Amino acid sequence: MMCQYHEIKDQHPGALLFFRLGDFYEMFYEDAVTASRELDITLTSRNKDAAGKPIPMCGVPAHSVKTYLGRLINKGHRVAICEQVENPKITKGIVRREVTRVVTPGTLVEDGALDCKQNNFIASLFEIKGCVGASFLDLSTGEFVLAEFSGETAWTQMQEEFLHFSPREIVVPESEQVRFLSKLPESLRSSLLQTIQSDWVFNLSYSQRLLIEHFNVATLEGFGITNQESSICAGGALLNYVKQTQKSAVAHITGLKFSQPSHCLQLDDSTVRNLELVEGLDGNKKWTLLGTIDCTRTAMGGRLLRSWILRPSLDLQE
């Protein structure tokens, strides 16, 4: 069984592996040490390794895994969920196990682990010939948005876009990791989980084909997207990453929008922070503008109101 564990763990080196054993998810070695510390649960040991040392181990009940999962994700960890994919009652020998999903701060969808009145976006960023493109996806709602800017103010406008969506994770190409992250708003940098992907994932032809096939369309023009190459690359790379981590076709992502911030009032980082629109200077949200006027009765309404406050419309009639 431990050979099976090591084989699966080697495929997901950057994640804590939740290894299903009956009614529990178990963690071993460094994963167990980390999880016991972060979750404040007992660290035990089992058997001994080849060197004769006890193997560190801890576990959480399968029926309450969502609670523990949310706590780890909110502390910036990745978690690979490894399930038993055969019935142990009829299987002879070791039960086959597979990672069925990788959960990260940007791909968390569990009820109770998210603020239902705030979107949980994951972002991707790319640049082609001075055009800066980004994509933002809320996996819990299926909301998928592309944005692109050019000219001398491209990065400034993109910073404001990131402040509006406030993603918890960002996907960037390996060769541009340092430069892209240095361009992001300082207030977001420290809290963003950085996910590095190979440069080829951001290839224009590959990204465009992936988006077209996913939405089952002939072109992306119906979404208002024509020659926005950098945002297409960012969108395709993000969709590729989400499909990889979720091990599924993510069929609930049914639409794609192109952001038009020119129709809205632009608010920079210091304005949003100092006016305490959605979060107080002390981190408290209760006495912010949003906390004061939010009488919405649904999660969807709460998310919409937050979006309106961060990006007020310039259309007087609206």
Side-chain angles (χ1 to χ4, degrees):
M1 187 199 72
M2 292 309 295
C3 288
Q4 184 188 53
Y5 169 84
H6 283 298
E7 183 180 338
I8 295 172
K9 175 63 180 176
D10 287 345
Q11 298 169 10
H12 302 276
L16 299 176
L17 183 62
F18 271 35
F19 193 73
R20 185 69 179 260
L21 282 177
D23 294 329
F24 283 80
Y25 288 99
E26 304 287 0
M27 285 141 281
F28 302 101
Y29 298 100
E30 287 302 316
D31 284 4
V33 175
T34 300
S36 67
R37 181 184 68 245
E38 298 285 35
L39 298 175
D40 194 22
I41 57 179
T42 303
L43 179 67
T44 61
S45 62
R46 63 169 292 144
N47 303 333
K48 293 183 178 180
D49 60 16
K53 297 180 180 178
I55 300 172
M57 168 185 173
C58 71
V60 298
H63 66 81
S64 58
V65 68
K66 289 183 180 180
T67 301
Y68 296 103
L69 188 61
R71 287 167 62 185
L72 286 171
I73 297 304
N74 286 330
K75 291 185 177 183
H77 294 285
R78 304 173 194 269
V79 179
I81 308 295
C82 182
E83 299 285 3
Q84 297 174 169
V85 294
E86 291 180 331
N87 188 337
K89 295 181 179 179
I90 62 175
T91 302
K92 294 182 179 180
I94 297 295
V95 175
R96 188 163 60 90
R97 293 177 174 85
E98 292 179 1
V99 170
T100 56
R101 184 178 162 219
V102 178
V103 188
T104 66
T107 59
L108 183 66
V109 296
E110 273 68 18
D111 294 336
L114 295 172
D115 180 349
C116 65
K117 287 195 173 185
Q118 182 173 342
N119 285 101
N120 187 52
F121 283 107
I122 179 173
S124 182
L125 193 58
F126 199 63
E127 183 180 17
I128 298 178
K129 301 173 184 176
C131 291
V132 184
S135 62
F136 304 90
L137 171 65
D138 184 340
L139 193 58
S140 63
T141 65
E143 184 177 351
F144 197 7
V145 182
L146 300 189
E148 184 171 308
F149 303 100
S150 60
E152 294 181 357
T153 61
W155 279 108
T156 301
Q157 290 177 289
M158 187 57 73
Q159 286 178 347
E160 293 173 356
E161 199 78 350
F162 267 77
L163 287 171
H164 172 71
F165 287 102
S166 295
R168 296 183 63 191
E169 182 177 355
I170 183 169
V171 177
V172 291
E174 187 175 12
S175 63
E176 296 282 12
Q177 173 191 2
V178 176
R179 186 171 73 90
F180 283 0
L181 294 175
S182 69
K183 298 283 190 179
L184 295 179
E186 191 174 340
S187 60
L188 286 179
R189 251 177 267 163
S190 59
S191 60
L192 267 177
L193 177 67
Q194 303 169 18
T195 296
I196 312 305
Q197 295 284 281
S198 300
D199 289 5
W200 69 264
V201 176
F202 291 81
N203 175 270
L204 177 59
S205 297
Y206 174 75
S207 296
Q208 191 163 24
R209 185 174 74 251
L210 196 63
L211 291 169
I212 286 174
E213 289 177 354
H214 176 80
F215 293 111
N216 194 26
V217 293
T219 72
L220 298 175
E221 292 183 8
F223 300 115
I225 300 166
T226 51
N227 299 317
Q228 293 88 350
E229 295 183 355
S230 59
S231 61
I232 291 173
C233 293
L238 183 55
L239 184 62
N240 177 79
Y241 172 70
V242 168
K243 287 189 173 186
Q244 280 185 340
T245 58
Q246 303 309 294
K247 311 290 183 182
S248 71
V250 288
H252 70 290
I253 303 174
T254 57
L256 186 63
K257 293 190 293 185
F258 191 75
S259 177
Q260 299 285 353
S262 60
H263 298 167
C264 305
L265 181 66
Q266 296 298 292
L267 302 173
D268 61 22
D269 190 13
S270 61
T271 301
V272 173
R273 184 174 63 253
N274 291 320
L275 288 180
E276 298 184 296
L277 298 181
V278 295
E279 184 174 307
L281 295 175
D282 60 355
N284 195 318
K285 299 180 181 180
K286 185 175 181 181
W287 302 116
T288 60
L289 174 62
L290 178 62
T292 303
I293 70 173
D294 186 2
C295 298
T296 57
R297 300 176 66 176
T298 66
M300 187 181 295
R303 291 193 296 269
L304 184 60
L305 179 60
R306 187 178 192 278
S307 177
W308 281 346
I309 287 176
L310 289 174
R311 185 165 283 176
S313 173
L314 293 179
D315 185 313
L316 185 59
Q317 184 175 352
E318 182 179 330

